[in-house]
Every structure is written in structure tokens, then in C-alpha cells.
Amino acid sequence: MKDAIRICDVEKYYGNENHVTKAVDRVSFSVKTGEFVGVMGPSGSGKTTLLNLLSTIDHVTAGHIYYGETDITELEEEQLSEFRKKNLGFVFQEYNLLDTLTLEENIMLVMTLQCRSKKEIQTRCSELLHLLGIEEVKDQYPYQVSGGQKQRCACARAIANHPLLLLADEPTGALDSQAAQTLLETFENLNQQMQTTIFMVTHDAFSASYCDRILFLKDGKIFHELSRGNKERRDFLNAILDVLALTGGELSHDS
Ligand SMILES: Nc1ncnc2c1ncn2[C@@H]1O[C@H](COP(=O)(O)OP(=O)(O)OP(=O)(O)O)[C@@H](O)[C@H]1O
Ligand SMILES: [Mg+2]
């Protein structure tokens, strides 16, 4: 399968000449089209920074990020914003839904921004509401539905424009275990049925076990990688837990 993204010697430093934090320290890896990649690592290891670089929200200090043939580190702000709209979908930990719009309107809004026809928007919206199992709450406002339903709406919105890549930072962080499982199964379906490439940051081994591959970050570097291969999810979960145990539980969430 083709590489969807290539990250080449990417560095991100914060600070000044007196004190420099190497948030991401010469990281290189590729993500294949249709791959579901997880990123784990202790607090401060650079997970969110890496996600922000991939999502073009933040700029690299050095190195290159290729989406197909396009080097996004070379794009101007205007081209970047166009690129984001066309290719990327985001699921944040806090959902970021607009409280004054119903769930359905929240989903429709991102499609309106893409200047699609009304009919096209309605068809796609019904499809998404069905796919994510939130049809019955589509006319409710975010404050009237559960965390899991909000997160599924955020997910529908993120994939509405058929992104090349879905980026998610701790998407299950605020969910109870049942809602988390439903969301992960949704990601798994999207990934398998629509070949959506997914890049997910998580502290949680159970969430990570849904991925095809996990990158383990520490001090801004990838220090280990684990592929699921043909393993059952349960066996993959045990392999992930083994890596966490070997690193003295340093990767577990403590904040
Ligand atoms: N805007 C910033 N200015 C200065 N330092 C920053 C900034 N953002 C992040 N850092 C530093 O970069 C390092 C990596 O931070 P990052 O947020 O990527 O970690 P993380 O792995 O996402 O952690 P967590 O699990 O707590 O979310 C940390 O040392 C952090 O203090
Ligand atoms: Mg973070």
C-alpha cells in the first residue's frame, strides 16, 4: 500500500537560547494509506506536538512532512488552510461542538464551508448520522446529549468531507468505557470500510489495541514500535501492556 504521509527528520523546539525543550526530536516514520496508527507516551513526551505538526496547526523547526507528493512544511498559510479543509479531519478531546447548533447542524456546517449543494449536504449528513448511530438525537443541542453522543457527532463532523487523514487527540479521554468502545468500533469501521487513515494519540492501552500499529514516544523520540499483524485484539492488548510494564509503567496516564 502507498504511503499517505512521510515524516522526515522532524524537529520541534520550544524556548530560547537559554533553555530549549526538544518537544519532537528528529522523528521519522511513514503512515500507509488506510493505516490506523496510535501514538503512546508519557506526559510531555511530545504526542500533542507531533499531532499538531501533522495537522499543520503548528510549524516544524526542521524537517519535512509529505502528504503524498506535497511537502506541507513548504506551504504558505493560505495554502495550508485550504489543505486542511480538503484533507484533514479532527477529533479533539473536548469535542468542540457549537452549543447554539443542533448535532445535525454542527455536522452540516463544515460541509457548507466546502460550498456543496444543499441536497448533497443533506444526503451526506443522513449517511453520517446513520453510520455513527446518532440519528435519533440529531435535533438535540450538544448540552442535551451524552458525552459519547457528542464525541460521535464530532467524529461525524471530522469525516464529513472524506478526509485523507483523521487526527484524534485522546478521543476516548472523556468517555466512559462503553462509550469509548463504541467510538473505537466506529473508528475501526471507518478505517476498514472507507479506508480512512487514522492517527490517534492515546494514554490508554485498550484504545491503542484497536490500532494497526503503535508508536511509543519518549522525550520527543520514537523509542519503540509495535505492529498488530494478524494478532487478535486481545493479544495485541497484552503486547502493548508488556511494553508499558517494561518501561516501568511510565507510559500510564498519571495526570
Ligand atoms: N507552546 C509551548 N511552549 C513551550 N513548551 C511547550 C509548548 N507546547 C509543549 N511544550 C513542551 O513540549 C513538550 C511536549 O509537550 P506535548 O504537549 O507534546 O506532550 P504530550 O506528550 O502531549 O503530553 P500529555 O500526555 O501531557 O498531553 C513538553 O515538555 C511541553 O512542556
Ligand atoms: Mg498532549
Side-chain angles (χ1 to χ4, degrees):
M1 244 202 263
K2 270 204 345 247
D3 285 342
I5 317 166
R6 277 185 303 132
I7 287 86
C8 305
D9 292 327
V10 163
E11 300 177 337
K12 178 68 187 181
Y13 295 175
Y14 290 111
N16 52 38
E17 58 273 17
N18 297 323
H19 181 79
V20 176
T21 303
K22 295 183 176 181
V24 173
D25 191 9
R26 279 187 81 95
V27 163
S28 298
F29 63 95
S30 302
V31 177
K32 299 217 175 302
T33 302
E35 201 176 9
F36 187 173
V37 177
V39 178
M40 298 190 84
S43 184
S45 60
K47 304 180 298 294
T48 297
T49 306
L50 183 61
L51 198 82
N52 288 345
L53 294 174
L54 282 180
S55 66
T56 77
I57 289 171
D58 207 350
H59 299 287
V60 301
T61 306
H64 297 274
I65 300 175
Y66 298 93
Y67 278 83
E69 299 303 313
T70 310
D71 182 352
I72 57 159
T73 62
E74 306 277 335
L75 298 183
E76 304 292 333
E77 200 44 55
E78 205 170 303
Q79 297 169 299
L80 274 179
S81 129
E82 195 56 32
F83 174 84
R84 270 197 293 271
K85 266 197 275 174
K86 210 167 127 208
N87 297 295
L88 306 180
F90 302 92
V91 181
F92 301 94
Q93 185 167 8
E94 309 299 332
Y95 327 122
N96 290 11
L97 299 178
L98 297 174
D99 286 328
T100 51
L101 300 181
T102 67
L103 298 198
E104 186 175 41
E105 288 162 350
N106 262 285
I107 300 169
M108 282 180 164
L109 179 69
V110 291
M111 290 188 269
T112 318
L113 297 176
Q114 288 255 311
C115 313
R116 303 224 222 149
S117 77
K118 200 166 168 203
K119 183 149 185 291
E120 200 184 338
I121 291 174
Q122 270 162 354
T123 311
R124 176 74 178 138
C125 198
S126 314
E127 200 177 284
L128 289 164
L129 289 166
H130 177 72
L131 181 74
L132 289 144
I134 45 173
E135 286 151 312
E136 69 281 17
V137 288
K138 74 181 170 68
D139 297 321
Q140 311 273 37
Y141 292 89
Y143 64 88
Q144 296 174 311
V145 303
S146 73
Q149 287 165 331
K150 276 197 281 249
Q151 195 57 297
R152 277 181 274 156
C153 178
C155 209
R157 186 183 54 176
I159 60 170
N161 294 323
H162 302 284
L164 190 69
L165 175 69
L166 180 64
L167 295 150
D169 198 352
E170 298 278 3
T172 56
L175 304 183
D176 63 49
S177 62
Q178 185 55 52
Q181 192 169 344
T182 309
L183 185 82
L184 290 161
E185 283 164 5
T186 308
F187 275 21
E188 199 171 44
N189 283 345
L190 274 178
N191 177 245
Q192 287 170 2
Q193 290 167 20
M194 325 262 260
Q195 276 73 52
T196 307
T197 309
I198 305 178
F199 197 82
M200 176 176 80
V201 168
T202 182
H203 271 98
D204 172 39
F206 177 78
S207 299
S209 70
Y210 280 81
C211 298
D212 298 321
R213 182 158 60 112
I214 319 281
L215 305 175
F216 293 89
L217 277 189
K218 195 175 177 183
D219 300 329
K221 293 190 174 74
I222 297 175
F223 81 95
H224 195 65
E225 209 181 301
L226 212 54
S227 288
R228 177 160 163 185
N230 296 323
K231 280 193 202 70
E232 291 294 327
R233 201 175 54 71
R234 191 183 297 257
D235 296 332
F236 191 40
L237 174 60
N238 285 329
I240 296 166
L241 290 171
D242 285 345
V243 175
L244 300 187
L246 279 175
T247 54
E250 270 184 74
L251 297 179
S252 61
H253 197 9
D254 53 6
S255 57

